[in-house]
């Protein structure tokens, strides 16, 4: 039995491992994720083969063992045989496990870190590595930093996971007991054993072996299993340490590659002491605020463009550095994109500054044009326009200077290959056309203003006369307020008062405008106290009519509203206030019959309601 088991193992598994140890396989560098997936798949395939071929083959040996004269008939010998086979199975699995761990550690440790001279040769693609590295790693740009991807920590974590997976997949191989065997097996328990009348066919034995194996694996939680390895044992721990140490040692080359690109970003930066990758929106704002000259812009743009091209020559695309095949294409593209982006940003600053300048120039030209087309109605407007037009030549000189700056920027943008949109080109053309269009327009406008100035004095005299007439009409209408005498029209009277106040306000504004024109022409200002006296005359009448209207509303609400909604104390207080006000106004307007009628009407209405207000309290 032992020899048969050893022969079975030797035929299939004596040189196999739970992992793909590259010393036994052809391989090419792969990503960490791919490497991990491949190792997991290989471990699963190996375990699957052990479960579907090796284990059923052992079960078959117990169903149909090689001939032996006594061992099968003696219970003690049979028990020793089962124990020996379990030990042998454990030893075979353990050997497979140890060969896997030793092989992987030996392979990983066979790669050594590069010396400084070897590193420089690798960077230039002149090295002749003894072995192909198993792992691809990438030097990448992440934000403002250059990183190794995957990181050393990720490599160490994933390699340890691969080793832990080997420990896990070794578990769950159930021990073979006599009770699980078919009755025709010579090792079946006595109460279950049968002696077949005819030999059992090989096909039946094979099928039974597979069925028994499947049942045992499905019930591993209920059956004792072979214990091959533990995660905390010496072999596992030391292998992880060796692998992690080798990964870290070999990471020295990639780290120096990162330093090489970091030094490039620092050396080729337009800002001393600040790497290219650290130039962000804050730098953009500071650069714009510094108001650099076009020569300084050109210097920095060309510097960044050269850096975008030269970064490709820092190292070759793939450098072999011990365990790692270092791929630099991502970092080269990242730095080149950053340099190009910064150069474009500076170009866009010039373009945007130019657009803003052109917009401002055109806006100022349009403002001059619009102002020149104005037709002033008032003398002060005319005087202001005249002064403005006389100062336009100075403004035009400034705008012509700004237009020359626009032309320089456009030449700069063309020289550096900046694409200019059709909209920008149209604005540029309009900017150049404005001065020739504007000069005759301004001269014509100034002539019109001078002609208009001559007719302004007559207009002012007429305006003074119209003002006096309007004010006289207002004063006469205010005199009619003494004739308000119908209590039913107090709302109409109040509206007339409000309208008159508005009229007086407008007249007051008109007088101020007339005074401004008089000052422009050097005349003595018109003074008319009738506006202020009229306002003072309106105030007591307005207060009187307002009080009457409010008392009418309150009395109407009390008569028509529900009694329960009254606040007795408030009603009584309001009635007392109305009574006092009515007596006051009767006395105040005793010599003005019409207004007195309204006051007496209020007095009678309040007196009529007062008993009701008293009852409610």
């Amino acid at each position: 039995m032992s020899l048969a088991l050893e022969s079975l193992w030797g035929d299939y598994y004596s040189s196999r491992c739970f992992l793909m140890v590259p010393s036994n396989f052809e391989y090419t560098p792969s990503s960490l994720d791919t490497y991990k997936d491949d190792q997991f798949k290989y471990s699963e395939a190996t375990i699957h083969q052990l479960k579907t071929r090796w284990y059923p083959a052992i079960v078959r040996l117990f169903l149909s063992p090689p001939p032996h004269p006594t061992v099968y008939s003696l219970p003690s010998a049979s028990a020793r045989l089962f124990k020996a086979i379990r030990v042998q199975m454990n030893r075979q699995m353990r050997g497979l496990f140890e060969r896997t761990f030793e092989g992987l550690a030996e392979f990983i440790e066979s790669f050594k870190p590069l010396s400084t001279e070897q590193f420089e040769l690798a960077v230039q693609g002149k090295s002749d590595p003894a072995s192909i590295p198993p792992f691809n790693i990438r030097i990448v740009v992440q934000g403002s930093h250059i990183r190794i991807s995957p990181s050393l920590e990720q490599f160490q974590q994933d390699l340890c996971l691969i080793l832990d997976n080997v420990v896990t997949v070794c578990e769950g191989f159930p021990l073979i007991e006599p009770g699980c065997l078919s009755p025709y097996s010579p090792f079946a328990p006595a109460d279950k054993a049968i002696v077949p009348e005819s030999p059992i066919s090989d096909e039946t034995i094979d099928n039974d072996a597979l069925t028994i194996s499947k049942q045992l694996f499905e019930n591993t939680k209920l059956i004792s299993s072979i214990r091959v390895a533990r995660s905390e044992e010496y072999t596992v721990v030391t292998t992880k340490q060796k692998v992690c140490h080798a990964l870290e040692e070999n990471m020295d080359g990639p780290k120096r590659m990162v330093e090489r690109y970091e030094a490039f970003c620092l050396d080729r930066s337009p800002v001393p002491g600040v790497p290219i990758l650290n130039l962000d929106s804050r730098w953009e704002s500071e650069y714009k605020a510094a108001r650099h000259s076009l020569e300084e812009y050109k210097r920095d743009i060309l510097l960044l463009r050269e850096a975008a091209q030269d970064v490709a020559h820092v190292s070759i695309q793939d450098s072999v550095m011990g365990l790692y095949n270092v791929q630099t294409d991502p970092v080269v593209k990242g730095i080149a994109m950053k340099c190009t982006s910064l150069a474009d940003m500076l170009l866009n600053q010039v373009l945007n500054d130019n657009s803003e300048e052109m917009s401002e120039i055109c806006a100022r030209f349009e403002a001059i044009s619009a102002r020149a087309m104005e037709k002033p109605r008032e003398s002060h407007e005319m005087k202001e326009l005249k002064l403005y037009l006389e100062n336009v030549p100075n403004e035009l000189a400034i705008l012509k200077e700004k237009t020359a700056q626009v032309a320089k920027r456009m030449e700069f943008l063309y020289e550096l290959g900046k694409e200019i949109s059709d909209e920008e080109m149209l604005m540029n053309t309009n900017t150049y056309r404005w001065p020739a269009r504007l000069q005759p327009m301004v001269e014509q406008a100034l002539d019109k203003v001078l002609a208009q100035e001559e007719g302004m004095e007559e207009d002012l005299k007429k305006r003074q006369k119209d003002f006096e007439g309007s004010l006289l009409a207002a004063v006469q209408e205010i005199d009619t307020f003494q004739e308000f005498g119908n209590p039913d029209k107090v709302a109409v009277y109040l509206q007339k008062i409000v309208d008159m106040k508005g009229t007086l306000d407008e007249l007051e504004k008109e007088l101020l405008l007339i005074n401004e024109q008089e000052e422009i022409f050097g005349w003595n200002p018109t003074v008319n106290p009738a506006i202020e006296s009229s306002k003072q005359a309106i105030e007591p009448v307005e207060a009187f009519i307002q009080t009457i209207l409010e008392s009418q509303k309150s009395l109407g609400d009390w008569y028509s509203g529900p009694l329960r909604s009254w606040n007795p104390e408030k009603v009584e207080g309001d009635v007392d206030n109305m009574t006092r006000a009515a007596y006051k106004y009767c006395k105040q307007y005793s010599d003005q019959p019409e207004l007195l009628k309204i006051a007496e009407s209020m007095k009678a209405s309040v007196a009529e309601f007062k008993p009701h207000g008293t009852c409610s309290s």
Side-chain angles (χ1 to χ4, degrees):
M1 284 286 288
S2 178
L3 291 175
L5 184 59
E6 198 65 35
S7 174
L8 177 66
W9 182 263
D11 289 343
Y12 298 107
Y13 309 106
S14 58
S15 61
R16 196 174 179 90
C17 291
F18 283 115
L19 296 173
M20 292 187 295
V21 179
S23 58
N24 297 331
F25 294 90
E26 292 185 1
Y27 66 93
T28 56
S30 63
S31 68
L32 178 59
D33 287 341
T34 300
Y35 179 83
K36 182 172 68 173
D37 290 344
D38 289 345
Q39 292 290 28
F40 274 47
K41 290 175 183 177
Y42 189 83
S43 297
E44 291 171 1
T46 301
I47 290 298
H48 179 74
Q49 192 174 36
L50 288 170
K51 288 181 177 181
T52 57
R53 294 182 60 181
W54 175 67
Y55 194 89
I58 297 173
V59 174
R60 192 185 194 291
L61 283 175
F62 280 101
L63 295 179
S64 179
H68 194 282
T70 60
V71 70
Y72 308 134
S73 58
L74 298 174
S76 59
S78 178
R80 287 195 300 274
L81 176 62
F82 270 88
K83 184 176 181 180
I85 294 302
R86 292 169 189 162
V87 171
Q88 190 172 0
M89 290 174 66
N90 184 279
R91 180 176 56 79
Q92 289 174 338
M93 289 281 288
R94 180 67 187 185
L96 183 60
F97 167 81
E98 291 181 351
R99 186 162 58 252
T100 299
F101 273 62
E102 290 170 2
L104 182 63
E106 182 179 346
F107 173 74
I108 296 294
E109 287 184 316
S110 68
F111 294 89
K112 303 300 180 183
L114 303 183
S115 65
T116 302
E117 181 180 355
Q118 290 172 328
F119 172 78
E120 292 298 330
L121 291 173
V123 168
Q124 300 170 35
K126 297 179 180 180
S127 62
D128 186 18
S131 302
I132 300 173
F135 303 117
N136 282 327
I137 63 170
R138 303 162 68 238
I139 308 298
V140 300
V141 173
Q142 292 182 353
S144 60
H145 300 282
I146 299 174
R147 306 289 193 202
I148 297 172
S149 180
S151 65
L152 172 63
E153 292 75 16
Q154 190 63 53
F155 267 103
Q156 292 175 333
Q157 177 181 329
D158 284 2
L159 267 293
C160 288
L161 282 175
I162 290 170
L163 294 172
D164 286 336
N165 183 62
V166 172
V167 176
T168 301
V169 298
C170 289
E171 298 177 355
F173 279 80
L175 299 175
I176 300 174
E177 300 287 352
C180 69
L181 299 175
S182 299
Y184 58 79
S185 169
F187 299 104
D191 58 345
K192 182 181 176 183
I194 61 170
V195 179
E197 296 179 358
S198 59
I200 306 299
S201 67
D202 289 342
E203 182 179 0
T204 300
I205 296 173
D206 289 341
N207 290 336
D208 288 348
L210 288 172
T211 301
I212 292 169
S213 299
K214 182 178 180 181
Q215 291 173 347
L216 289 174
F217 279 112
E218 289 175 350
N219 294 280
T220 51
K221 293 182 179 179
L222 306 176
I223 304 173
S224 298
S225 301
I226 299 172
R227 188 64 182 270
V228 178
R230 292 174 290 110
S231 295
E232 64 275 13
E233 69 172 73
Y234 178 79
T235 299
V236 176
V237 173
T238 55
T239 301
K240 286 182 179 180
Q241 291 173 346
K242 291 177 181 178
V243 169
C244 289
H245 179 69
L247 290 169
E248 183 176 5
E249 271 192 334
N250 281 266
M251 193 59 78
D252 179 65
K255 287 181 178 178
R256 280 193 280 176
M257 184 70 84
V258 169
E259 293 169 358
R260 194 179 186 92
Y261 280 98
E262 288 175 339
F264 176 88
C265 290
L266 186 61
D267 294 341
R268 303 300 290 272
S269 173
V271 183
V274 181
I276 288 172
L277 295 177
N278 288 84
L279 300 179
D280 53 16
S281 57
R282 179 180 177 183
W283 173 72
E284 177 182 357
S285 301
E286 291 173 350
Y287 198 97
K288 184 177 177 69
R291 310 297 297 176
H292 290 283
S293 66
L294 291 179
E295 289 74 17
E296 291 170 322
Y297 268 100
K298 183 177 181 180
R299 177 200 65 200
D300 291 340
I301 289 170
L302 293 179
L303 179 66
L304 289 165
R305 285 180 173 179
E306 289 171 2
Q309 294 177 347
D310 293 347
V311 69
H313 307 301
V314 173
S315 73
I316 62 170
Q317 189 170 0
D318 287 350
S319 302
V320 176
M321 296 186 178
L323 274 169
Y324 309 109
N325 178 54
V326 183
Q327 299 174 335
T328 58
D329 186 57
V331 70
V332 168
K333 288 181 178 178
I335 294 174
M337 286 178 61
K338 180 68 174 182
C339 291
T340 302
S341 173
L342 291 172
D344 288 343
M345 179 270 294
L346 294 181
L347 268 178
N348 285 330
Q349 276 193 10
V350 176
L351 178 62
N352 292 337
D353 286 348
N354 211 44
S355 298
E356 291 173 5
E357 189 85 271
M358 287 191 294
S359 296
E360 180 190 348
I361 292 171
C362 289
R364 289 169 71 172
F365 275 131
E366 288 169 0
I368 295 172
S369 174
R371 196 72 192 276
M373 298 297 290
E374 286 181 2
K375 296 180 180 179
R377 298 174 55 190
E378 304 294 339
S379 54
H380 73 280
E381 295 173 351
M382 179 273 298
K383 289 290 186 181
E384 289 174 359
L385 180 57
K386 178 183 175 184
L387 181 62
Y388 177 83
L389 292 174
E390 289 174 343
N391 192 52
V392 164
N394 296 331
E395 177 78 358
L396 289 178
I398 295 172
L399 294 178
K400 287 179 180 178
E401 184 178 344
K402 287 181 174 291
T403 303
Q405 290 297 321
V406 167
K408 288 182 180 179
R409 289 197 196 94
M410 291 299 291
E411 184 180 350
F412 171 85
L413 294 169
Y414 277 124
E415 180 185 354
L416 292 181
K418 178 62 179 175
E419 188 173 329
I420 310 296
S421 68
D422 293 342
E423 184 180 357
E424 296 284 342
M425 289 301 302
L426 180 60
M427 185 184 299
N428 185 56
T429 302
N430 288 336
T431 303
Y432 295 154
R433 288 177 178 175
W434 263 113
R437 293 168 51 193
L438 197 60
Q439 188 67 40
M441 189 184 304
V442 172
E443 292 174 356
Q444 185 179 5
L446 187 56
D447 291 340
K448 289 181 179 180
V449 168
L450 292 174
Q452 185 179 5
E453 185 178 16
E454 297 176 1
M456 282 288 187
E457 289 190 1
E458 290 301 322
D459 293 339
L460 179 55
K461 291 177 182 179
K462 183 178 182 302
R463 192 170 184 177
Q464 288 174 328
K465 185 176 181 180
D466 292 342
F467 169 77
E468 295 293 343
S470 297
L471 181 56
L472 179 60
V475 171
Q476 290 173 349
E477 184 177 349
I478 292 172
D479 290 341
T480 65
F481 291 175
Q482 306 300 321
E483 299 173 5
F484 293 164
N486 188 342
D488 296 332
K489 292 185 177 182
V490 290
V492 175
Y493 297 154
L494 183 60
Q495 187 59 49
K496 285 185 176 183
I497 293 171
V498 171
D499 293 343
M500 178 52 65
K501 289 175 69 178
T503 299
L504 292 174
D505 289 340
E506 291 300 319
L507 286 171
E508 192 171 34
K509 292 177 183 176
E510 175 67 3
L511 179 59
L512 290 174
L513 293 174
I514 290 173
N515 290 157
E516 289 177 3
Q517 289 184 331
E518 290 168 339
E519 184 179 357
I520 291 170
F521 289 111
W523 295 0
N524 292 327
T526 299
V527 178
N528 199 321
I531 296 176
E532 186 61 32
S533 61
S534 297
K535 286 185 175 182
Q536 293 173 359
I538 287 175
E539 288 178 0
V541 179
E542 181 184 17
F544 169 58
I545 297 299
Q546 182 72 44
T547 302
I548 298 298
L549 187 62
E550 290 175 356
S551 67
Q552 289 178 350
K553 183 179 183 305
S554 296
L555 291 171
D557 290 343
W558 292 333
Y559 276 124
S560 61
L563 185 62
R564 63 178 176 275
S565 65
W566 288 12
N567 182 334
E569 293 181 358
K570 185 176 185 306
V571 171
E572 185 175 357
D574 289 347
V575 170
D576 289 342
N577 291 335
M578 290 179 190
T579 302
R580 286 192 294 272
Y583 276 98
K584 183 186 81 169
Y585 287 129
C586 285
K587 183 178 179 181
Q588 181 176 338
Y589 295 116
S590 60
D591 57 347
Q592 294 176 276
E594 296 301 318
L595 294 177
L596 180 59
K597 288 179 184 179
I598 298 175
E600 289 177 342
S601 172
M602 174 185 176
K603 176 180 163 185
S605 297
V606 174
E608 182 182 352
F609 176 78
K610 193 167 186 180
H612 300 289
T614 306
C615 291
S616 67
S617 59

